[in-house]
Amino acid sequence: MSSSTTPTAYAVSPDSGEHWSKEGAWQVTDGIHRIPLPLPMDGLKAVNVYVLETADGLTLIDGGWAIEVARDLLERCLRDIGYGFGDIRRFLVTHVHRDHFTMATVLGHEYGADVALGRGDKPALDLLNDPTLDESPFLEVLRTAGAQELAEQWAAGGGERPDPAIWLLPDTWLDGDQRIAVGTRTLDAVHTPGHTPGHYVFAERAAGLLFAGDHVLPTITPSIGFTVPPTPDPLGDFMASLTKVRALPDLQILPAHGPVAPSSHARVDELLSFHDQRLEQSLAAIADAPATGFTVAHQLAWTRHEKSYDDLDPFSQGMAAMETKAHLELLVARGQATREVTPEGVLFRAVSGPVDD
């Protein structure tokens, strides 16, 4: 929800020499192309799909959102580099969110490509395919964050059931850390829960590359807490996963959103520092009186423009409330705060007030 010093709106990617979201199949290195696919009605603008060529066909890292405009563009860009959908042998999907998973599962089933996804995201797929689901599962997450009125707005804005045709189960579940051969390349599949419980990054150490999904983004911080079913401490998981990736060699970042960036170490350090500051601010906000994530979110600045909470659109307000609740949950896990479930949402209180100088 916030940014580094590189504004997304002006982020030129070195492989294209253009804004990172510009249409095309951009060569990152020999045998690897980056194809940005559009995300209508989404502030992220695009999602990067990475195409890895092998003698046997293509492996794609992430698939994009299963919408016609993105499918047509992916087909056109693959044609520009001499391939078609029938050449895709496998999708390695970083996580279950719609802009990464849904096109992969649709094309995988149509063309017989293997679709791999982290097993930690199976509960989300099970929930999205639950025939008894009568409302968006995110509404209850908003309510626990204290955002009751926002939940009503989200529901009014389109609470239709998920389409099971784009939430099909993968062919392969990824468990733990493992090595995956992609032609002559070897990718380290590294489980990095946090953004979602089943998130994976794929590191090609020999080439110095990190296919980072939404775990390490170069210009923004990945959303935390926007996951169903909810996990107890998503931010704690995310920060532990950042530390895990920091222990890898320093790699070039090939992110799902944003430009190709030079240093995974530098960006991980920035992300950890950002969340440390956010935790301090959140703790200070509950020092004198208990508060919900929604209430505390009003006291923080949002996006690279440092916007006030009230200046965000309703969707972003909901994301911010969930993310703030995740910070407060980590304070509880660290013994710095307590939590109480109430009809108005989960209330958090600092264990002790700030120490006077």
Side-chain angles (χ1 to χ4, degrees), residues 121-168:
D121 283 343
K122 185 176 186 298
L125 278 179
D126 290 343
L127 183 61
L128 291 166
N129 283 286
D130 182 352
T132 67
L133 193 67
D134 58 1
E135 69 172 14
S136 166
F138 287 103
L139 300 183
E140 184 56 28
V141 184
L142 278 174
R143 295 182 190 114
T144 64
Q148 313 290 341
E149 291 184 9
L150 266 179
E152 293 179 16
Q153 287 185 50
W154 278 32
E160 68 272 7
R161 279 189 43 75
D163 178 1
I166 65 172
W167 295 108
L168 302 165

Side-chain angles (χ1 to χ4, degrees), residues 4-342:
S4 74
T5 54
T6 307
T8 307
Y10 303 102
V12 170
S13 193
D15 52 349
S16 65
E18 303 278 357
H19 185 269
W20 70 270
S21 64
K22 185 175 175 62
E23 294 180 5
W26 307 107
Q27 185 171 319
V28 176
T29 189
D30 288 345
I32 298 177
H33 288 82
R34 179 180 63 86
I35 299 178
L37 297 179
L39 300 178
M41 300 177 297
D42 192 312
L44 293 173
K45 298 189 183 304
V47 58
N48 292 318
V49 170
Y50 294 92
V51 180
L52 282 64
E53 301 174 69
T54 78
D56 183 45
L58 304 177
T59 290
L60 269 60
I61 295 180
D62 285 333
W65 184 5
I67 51 177
E68 187 174 357
V69 64
R71 179 181 174 129
D72 291 346
L73 180 59
L74 179 60
E75 185 172 34
R76 190 161 68 248
C77 289
L78 286 176
R79 191 183 311 125
D80 287 344
I81 56 175
Y83 296 101
F85 288 152
D87 295 305
I88 302 172
R89 301 288 176 263
R90 174 165 53 183
F91 287 93
L92 298 175
V93 182
T94 58
H95 63 294
V96 75
H97 285 164
R98 68 183 182 182
D99 52 327
H100 302 256
F101 177 73
T102 56
M103 183 107 79
T105 193
V106 168
L107 291 177
H109 280 78
E110 282 186 35
Y111 290 91
D114 184 269
V115 177
L117 181 72
R119 189 178 295 278
D121 283 343
K122 185 176 186 298
L125 278 179
D126 290 343
L127 183 61
L128 291 166
N129 283 286
D130 182 352
T132 67
L133 193 67
D134 58 1
E135 69 172 14
S136 166
F138 287 103
L139 300 183
E140 184 56 28
V141 184
L142 278 174
R143 295 182 190 114
T144 64
Q148 313 290 341
E149 291 184 9
L150 266 179
E152 293 179 16
Q153 287 185 50
W154 278 32
E160 68 272 7
R161 279 189 43 75
D163 178 1
I166 65 172
W167 295 108
L168 302 165
L169 292 177
D171 306 286
T172 301
W173 291 111
L174 299 176
D175 286 296
D177 296 351
Q178 57 187 276
R179 292 196 163 181
I180 298 175
V182 178
T184 59
R185 302 176 184 275
T186 299
L187 301 185
D188 286 320
V190 182
H191 183 209
T192 51
H195 181 64
T196 72
H199 195 289
Y200 269 79
V201 300
F202 302 96
E204 189 188 357
R205 297 180 190 232
L209 302 174
L210 179 69
F211 298 93
D214 279 4
H215 183 59
V216 182
L217 298 176
T219 62
I220 57 175
T221 62
S223 64
I224 304 296
F226 186 62
T227 235
V228 289
T231 53
D233 184 16
L235 181 61
D237 294 340
F238 178 65
M239 294 180 77
S241 295
L242 284 175
T243 302
K244 185 177 181 181
V245 169
R246 184 62 169 79
L248 296 172
D250 195 14
L251 304 170
Q252 187 178 36
I253 305 168
L254 306 185
H257 309 285
V260 173
S263 171
S264 58
H265 284 184
R267 185 57 181 148
V268 165
D269 290 345
E270 288 179 354
L271 289 167
L272 287 169
S273 176
F274 168 81
H275 285 292
D276 283 337
Q277 293 171 23
R278 213 61 157 176
L279 286 162
E280 291 177 11
Q281 293 166 349
S282 299
L283 184 60
I286 57 171
D288 296 325
T292 64
F294 176 72
T295 304
V296 174
H298 280 79
Q299 301 180 46
L300 305 174
W302 296 96
T303 80
R304 66 186 180 87
H305 297 294
E306 298 285 296
K307 286 185 178 181
S308 71
Y309 185 85
D310 287 335
D311 288 336
L312 300 176
D313 63 83
F315 180 75
S316 298
Q317 286 182 340
M319 297 275 282
M322 293 181 208
E323 183 165 307
T324 305
K325 181 175 180 288
H327 282 85
L328 296 166
E329 296 285 10
L330 180 51
L331 292 173
V332 173
R334 291 180 172 181
Q336 295 175 279
T338 59
R339 72 194 303 276
E340 177 189 359
V341 178
T342 76

